[in-house]
Amino acid sequence: MLVSALSVHVFGTGVTVGYHRLLTHRSFKTPKWLEHGFAILGICCFQDTPARWVAVHRMHHAHSDDRPDPHSPRVSMFWSHIGWLLYVNRQTHSVASLEKFAKDLLRDPFYLKLELSPWRQFMFSGGQIVLYFLAGALFALLSASGWAAAVQQGVSWVVWGVFLRVVIVWHITWSVNSLTHLFGYRNYETGEDSRNNWLVALLSFGEGWHNNHHQDPSAASLQHRWWEFDICYYEILFLKWCGLAADVVPGRSQRHAERL
């Protein structure tokens, strides 16, 4: 259980901090090795390649809750949560969409190779299974257990740390698409249906303050009131303190004040 909980957070940052705030909205900058590290964590969550994830999310912001939105709950809650993934939408999966919405990523050979050689993403996502098994087995052996117990522990870590964790992170991510456009409160009138949902914010470490995000997509922080706690933002600030993040984008009001 502990392995699963820790893995949800560590690998979840590949989606929340990596795919979303770093790659999609460019809310801060990191060295390329760290950026690619976040991307690999996202790949290990089985949520498509970085470029395709970014293209879909930018399309969502460009047409939020209008007809071209890939996952609006105005169709249905099931559609926004998982249904849109079961339908082959040629608009969202086309080369033209990638060139329009993720062209900046494709200039990086790392992301371009993932698109040209799809097997590369499975190399990363499959490799984590081996690593979890070896880590679990080693943990058992260091605890003076036998080889049979080591194998059992390795398999257990794979089940809890990979398979269960992937499903949990899926539903957390999909809840941002569905629940935060249906349930919650609004700090801003943003022209679409985004809501701030405290439960989704708790599960996603801050991503549930979705109305705040739609009001200011570029900002690194989604915390607009003192009690809207955004753990992902504080992790970005920690990276900045360590010298691993720069150009952290402040809120819109602060950006306006700095221009004066």
Side-chain angles (χ1 to χ4, degrees):
M1 188 70 177
L2 180 61
V3 170
S4 184
L6 290 175
S7 299
V8 165
H9 183 64
V10 172
F11 284 87
T13 59
V15 178
T16 58
V17 176
Y19 275 16
H20 189 210
R21 304 197 199 189
L22 177 58
L23 297 181
T24 303
H25 296 292
R26 300 298 183 183
S27 299
F28 64 104
K29 295 179 181 177
T30 63
K32 277 298 178 182
W33 65 265
L34 183 56
E35 177 185 309
H36 294 165
F38 275 121
I40 290 170
L41 290 177
I43 291 169
C44 288
C45 294
F46 292 91
Q47 293 196 24
D48 218 328
T49 61
R52 292 181 184 275
W53 197 101
V54 167
V56 168
H57 192 70
R58 287 176 177 172
M59 190 182 299
H60 164 67
H61 274 274
H63 307 288
S64 186
D65 291 320
D66 288 331
R67 193 173 188 85
D69 186 342
H71 45 64
S72 173
R74 289 185 181 180
V75 178
S76 72
M77 180 175 172
F78 176 80
W79 172 263
S80 63
H81 193 74
I82 190 174
W84 69 281
L85 293 166
L86 306 177
Y87 171 75
V88 179
N89 187 332
R90 293 182 180 179
Q91 182 179 0
T92 59
H93 292 88
S94 67
V95 174
S97 293
L98 279 176
E99 291 179 343
K100 180 178 180 180
F101 291 102
K103 191 173 184 178
D104 55 325
L105 266 72
L106 298 181
R107 294 193 187 102
D108 185 326
F110 176 78
Y111 302 116
L112 181 59
K113 288 178 182 177
L114 287 170
E115 298 304 322
L116 297 177
S117 305
W119 59 267
R120 290 177 182 270
Q121 63 175 311
F122 297 108
M123 178 182 68
F124 291 121
S125 56
Q128 67 179 320
I129 296 174
V130 177
L131 291 177
Y132 266 87
F133 177 82
L134 293 176
L138 181 60
F139 180 84
L141 290 174
L142 292 176
S143 303
S145 301
W147 284 101
V151 171
Q152 184 179 17
Q153 184 83 324
V155 172
S156 177
W157 279 37
V158 169
V159 171
W160 286 90
V162 180
F163 298 138
L164 180 61
R165 178 259 301 170
V166 164
V167 173
I168 292 172
V169 173
W170 276 350
H171 284 283
I172 290 173
T173 303
W174 299 342
S175 293
V176 178
N177 297 338
S178 59
L179 299 182
T180 62
H181 279 258
L182 288 169
F183 307 107
Y185 66 92
R186 292 166 64 84
N187 288 333
Y188 308 97
E189 291 300 323
T190 50
E192 30 64 46
D193 299 333
S194 62
R195 300 283 192 273
N196 290 326
N197 186 298
W198 67 267
L199 177 59
V200 178
L202 178 65
L203 295 174
S204 63
F205 309 102
E207 295 287 277
W209 310 122
H210 201 56
N211 178 242
N212 296 348
H213 174 57
H214 271 266
Q215 189 269 342
D216 189 6
S218 299
S221 174
L222 277 60
Q223 180 175 330
H224 289 195
R225 297 184 180 183
W226 69 266
W227 45 269
E228 293 171 345
F229 198 62
D230 182 2
I231 294 176
C232 290
Y233 175 60
Y234 292 108
E235 291 175 337
I236 294 171
L237 291 182
F238 177 73
L239 290 176
K240 182 179 179 181
W241 180 79
C242 293
L244 295 174
D247 298 336
V248 178
V249 179
R252 181 172 292 166
S253 59
Q254 184 176 340
R255 297 200 303 271
H256 287 176
E258 290 173 353
R259 295 193 189 105
L260 299 178

Coordinates of all heavy atoms in Angstrom, one line a residue, residues 166-202:
V166 N -0.8 2.9 -11.9 CA -1.2 3.4 -13.2 C -2.7 3.6 -13.3 O -3.2 4.7 -13.8 CB -0.8 2.4 -14.3 CG1 -1.5 2.7 -15.6 CG2 0.7 2.5 -14.5
V167 N -3.5 2.7 -12.8 CA -5.0 2.9 -12.8 C -5.4 4.0 -12.0 O -6.3 4.8 -12.4 CB -5.7 1.6 -12.4 CG1 -7.2 1.8 -12.3 CG2 -5.4 0.4 -13.4
I168 N -4.8 4.2 -10.8 CA -5.1 5.3 -9.9 C -4.8 6.6 -10.6 O -5.6 7.6 -10.6 CB -4.4 5.2 -8.5 CG1 -5.0 4.0 -7.8 CG2 -4.6 6.4 -7.7 CD1 -4.2 3.6 -6.5
V169 N -3.6 6.7 -11.1 CA -3.2 8.0 -11.8 C -4.1 8.3 -13.0 O -4.4 9.4 -13.3 CB -1.7 7.9 -12.2 CG1 -1.3 9.2 -13.0 CG2 -0.8 7.9 -10.9
W170 N -4.5 7.2 -13.7 CA -5.4 7.4 -14.8 C -6.7 8.2 -14.3 O -7.1 9.2 -14.9 CB -5.9 6.1 -15.4 CG -4.9 5.5 -16.4 CD1 -3.9 6.1 -17.0 CD2 -5.0 4.2 -16.9 NE1 -3.3 5.2 -17.9 CE2 -4.0 4.0 -17.9 CE3 -5.9 3.1 -16.7 CZ2 -3.7 2.8 -18.6 CZ3 -5.6 1.9 -17.4 CH2 -4.6 1.8 -18.3
H171 N -7.3 7.6 -13.3 CA -8.6 8.2 -12.8 C -8.4 9.5 -12.2 O -9.3 10.4 -12.3 CB -9.3 7.2 -11.9 CG -9.9 6.0 -12.6 ND1 -11.1 6.1 -13.3 CD2 -9.5 4.7 -12.8 CE1 -11.4 5.0 -13.8 NE2 -10.4 4.1 -13.5
I172 N -7.3 9.8 -11.6 CA -7.0 11.1 -11.1 C -7.0 12.1 -12.2 O -7.6 13.2 -12.2 CB -5.8 11.2 -10.2 CG1 -5.9 10.4 -8.9 CG2 -5.3 12.6 -9.9 CD1 -4.7 10.2 -8.1
T173 N -6.2 11.8 -13.2 CA -6.1 12.7 -14.4 C -7.4 12.9 -15.1 O -7.8 14.0 -15.4 CB -5.1 12.1 -15.4 OG1 -3.8 11.9 -14.8 CG2 -4.8 13.0 -16.6
W174 N -8.1 11.8 -15.3 CA -9.4 11.9 -16.0 C -10.4 12.7 -15.2 O -11.3 13.3 -15.7 CB -10.0 10.5 -16.3 CG -9.1 9.6 -17.1 CD1 -8.1 10.1 -18.0 CD2 -9.1 8.2 -17.3 NE1 -7.5 9.0 -18.6 CE2 -8.1 7.9 -18.2 CE3 -9.9 7.2 -16.7 CZ2 -7.8 6.5 -18.6 CZ3 -9.6 5.9 -17.0 CH2 -8.6 5.6 -18.0
S175 N -10.3 12.7 -13.8 CA -11.2 13.4 -13.0 C -11.1 14.9 -13.2 O -12.0 15.7 -13.0 CB -11.0 13.1 -11.5 OG -11.4 11.7 -11.2
V176 N -9.8 15.3 -13.5 CA -9.6 16.8 -13.9 C -10.4 17.1 -15.1 O -11.0 18.2 -15.2 CB -8.2 17.1 -14.1 CG1 -8.0 18.6 -14.5 CG2 -7.4 16.8 -12.8
N177 N -10.5 16.2 -16.1 CA -11.2 16.4 -17.3 C -12.7 16.4 -17.1 O -13.5 17.2 -17.7 CB -10.9 15.4 -18.4 CG -9.5 15.4 -18.8 OD1 -8.8 16.4 -18.7 ND2 -9.0 14.2 -19.3
S178 N -13.2 15.6 -16.2 CA -14.6 15.4 -16.0 C -15.2 16.1 -14.8 O -16.0 17.1 -14.9 CB -15.0 13.9 -15.9 OG -14.3 13.3 -14.8
L179 N -14.8 15.8 -13.6 CA -15.4 16.3 -12.4 C -15.2 17.8 -12.2 O -16.1 18.5 -11.8 CB -14.8 15.6 -11.1 CG -15.0 14.1 -11.0 CD1 -14.5 13.5 -9.7 CD2 -16.5 13.8 -11.2
T180 N -14.0 18.3 -12.6 CA -13.7 19.8 -12.5 C -14.4 20.6 -13.5 O -14.2 21.8 -13.5 CB -12.2 20.1 -12.4 OG1 -11.6 19.7 -13.7 CG2 -11.6 19.3 -11.3
H181 N -15.1 20.0 -14.4 CA -16.0 20.8 -15.4 C -17.5 20.5 -15.1 O -18.3 21.0 -15.8 CB -15.7 20.4 -16.8 CG -14.5 21.1 -17.3 ND1 -14.5 22.2 -18.2 CD2 -13.1 20.9 -17.1 CE1 -13.3 22.6 -18.5 NE2 -12.5 21.8 -17.9
L182 N -17.7 19.9 -13.9 CA -19.1 19.6 -13.5 C -19.4 20.0 -12.1 O -20.5 20.5 -11.8 CB -19.4 18.1 -13.7 CG -19.5 17.5 -15.1 CD1 -19.5 16.0 -15.0 CD2 -20.7 18.0 -15.8
F183 N -18.5 19.8 -11.2 CA -18.8 20.0 -9.7 C -17.8 20.9 -9.1 O -16.6 20.7 -9.3 CB -18.8 18.6 -9.0 CG -19.7 17.6 -9.6 CD1 -19.2 16.5 -10.3 CD2 -21.1 17.7 -9.6 CE1 -20.0 15.6 -10.9 CE2 -21.9 16.8 -10.1 CZ -21.4 15.7 -10.8
G184 N -18.2 21.8 -8.3 CA -17.3 22.7 -7.6 C -17.8 24.1 -7.6 O -18.9 24.4 -8.1
Y185 N -16.9 25.0 -7.2 CA -17.2 26.4 -7.2 C -16.3 27.2 -8.2 O -15.3 26.7 -8.7 CB -17.0 27.0 -5.8 CG -15.6 27.0 -5.3 CD1 -14.7 28.1 -5.5 CD2 -15.1 25.9 -4.7 CE1 -13.4 28.1 -5.1 CE2 -13.8 25.8 -4.2 CZ -12.9 26.9 -4.4 OH -11.6 26.9 -4.0
R186 N -16.7 28.4 -8.5 CA -15.9 29.2 -9.5 C -15.5 30.5 -8.8 O -16.3 31.2 -8.2 CB -16.8 29.5 -10.7 CG -17.1 28.3 -11.5 CD -18.3 28.6 -12.5 NE -17.9 29.6 -13.5 CZ -17.3 29.3 -14.7 NH1 -16.8 28.1 -14.9 NH2 -17.0 30.3 -15.5
N187 N -14.2 30.8 -8.9 CA -13.7 32.1 -8.5 C -13.8 33.1 -9.7 O -13.8 34.3 -9.4 CB -12.2 32.0 -8.1 CG -12.0 31.3 -6.8 OD1 -12.9 31.3 -5.9 ND2 -10.9 30.7 -6.6
Y188 N -13.9 32.6 -10.9 CA -13.8 33.5 -12.1 C -14.9 33.0 -13.1 O -15.1 31.8 -13.2 CB -12.4 33.5 -12.7 CG -11.3 33.7 -11.8 CD1 -10.6 32.7 -11.2 CD2 -11.0 35.0 -11.4 CE1 -9.6 32.9 -10.3 CE2 -9.9 35.3 -10.5 CZ -9.2 34.2 -10.0 OH -8.2 34.5 -9.1
E189 N -15.4 34.0 -13.9 CA -16.2 33.7 -15.0 C -15.3 33.6 -16.2 O -14.8 34.6 -16.7 CB -17.3 34.8 -15.3 CG -18.3 34.8 -14.2 CD -19.1 33.5 -14.1 OE1 -19.3 32.8 -15.2 OE2 -19.4 33.0 -13.0
T190 N -15.0 32.4 -16.7 CA -14.0 32.1 -17.7 C -14.5 31.7 -19.1 O -13.8 31.4 -20.0 CB -13.1 31.0 -17.2 OG1 -13.9 29.9 -16.8 CG2 -12.2 31.5 -16.0
G191 N -15.9 31.8 -19.2 CA -16.4 31.5 -20.5 C -16.6 30.0 -20.9 O -16.9 29.6 -22.0
E192 N -16.3 29.1 -19.9 CA -16.5 27.7 -20.0 C -16.9 27.2 -18.7 O -17.3 27.9 -17.8 CB -15.3 27.0 -20.6 CG -13.9 27.6 -20.3 CD -13.6 27.6 -18.8 OE1 -13.8 26.5 -18.2 OE2 -13.1 28.6 -18.3
D193 N -16.9 25.8 -18.5 CA -17.5 25.2 -17.3 C -16.6 24.8 -16.2 O -16.9 24.0 -15.4 CB -18.3 24.0 -17.7 CG -19.5 24.3 -18.7 OD1 -19.9 25.5 -18.7 OD2 -19.8 23.5 -19.5
S194 N -15.3 25.3 -16.3 CA -14.3 24.9 -15.3 C -14.8 25.2 -13.9 O -15.4 26.2 -13.6 CB -13.0 25.5 -15.6 OG -13.0 26.9 -15.5
R195 N -14.4 24.3 -12.9 CA -14.7 24.5 -11.5 C -13.5 24.2 -10.7 O -12.6 23.5 -11.1 CB -15.8 23.5 -11.1 CG -17.1 23.6 -11.9 CD -18.0 24.8 -11.3 NE -19.3 24.8 -11.8 CZ -19.7 25.3 -13.0 NH1 -18.8 25.8 -13.8 NH2 -21.0 25.3 -13.4
N196 N -13.5 24.7 -9.5 CA -12.5 24.3 -8.4 C -13.1 23.2 -7.6 O -14.2 23.4 -7.0 CB -12.2 25.5 -7.5 CG -11.3 26.6 -8.3 OD1 -10.5 26.2 -9.1 ND2 -11.5 27.8 -7.9
N197 N -12.5 22.1 -7.6 CA -13.0 20.9 -6.9 C -12.0 20.5 -5.8 O -10.9 20.0 -6.2 CB -13.3 19.8 -7.9 CG -14.0 18.6 -7.3 OD1 -13.4 17.9 -6.4 ND2 -15.2 18.3 -7.7
W198 N -12.3 20.6 -4.6 CA -11.4 20.3 -3.5 C -10.9 18.9 -3.5 O -9.8 18.6 -3.1 CB -11.9 20.7 -2.1 CG -13.1 19.9 -1.7 CD1 -14.4 20.2 -1.9 CD2 -13.0 18.7 -0.9 NE1 -15.2 19.2 -1.3 CE2 -14.4 18.2 -0.7 CE3 -12.0 17.9 -0.4 CZ2 -14.7 17.1 -0.1 CZ3 -12.3 16.7 0.2 CH2 -13.6 16.3 0.4
L199 N -11.9 17.9 -3.8 CA -11.5 16.5 -3.7 C -10.5 16.2 -4.8 O -9.5 15.5 -4.6 CB -12.8 15.7 -3.9 CG -12.5 14.1 -3.9 CD1 -11.8 13.6 -2.7 CD2 -13.8 13.4 -4.2
V200 N -10.7 16.7 -6.0 CA -9.8 16.4 -7.1 C -8.5 17.1 -6.8 O -7.4 16.6 -7.1 CB -10.4 16.9 -8.5 CG1 -9.3 16.7 -9.6 CG2 -11.7 16.2 -8.8
A201 N -8.5 18.3 -6.2 CA -7.3 19.0 -5.9 C -6.5 18.2 -4.8 O -5.2 18.1 -4.9 CB -7.6 20.4 -5.3
L202 N -7.2 17.6 -3.9 CA -6.5 16.8 -2.9 C -5.8 15.5 -3.6 O -4.7 15.2 -3.3 CB -7.5 16.3 -1.8 CG -7.0 15.4 -0.7 CD1 -5.9 16.2 0.1 CD2 -8.1 14.9 0.2

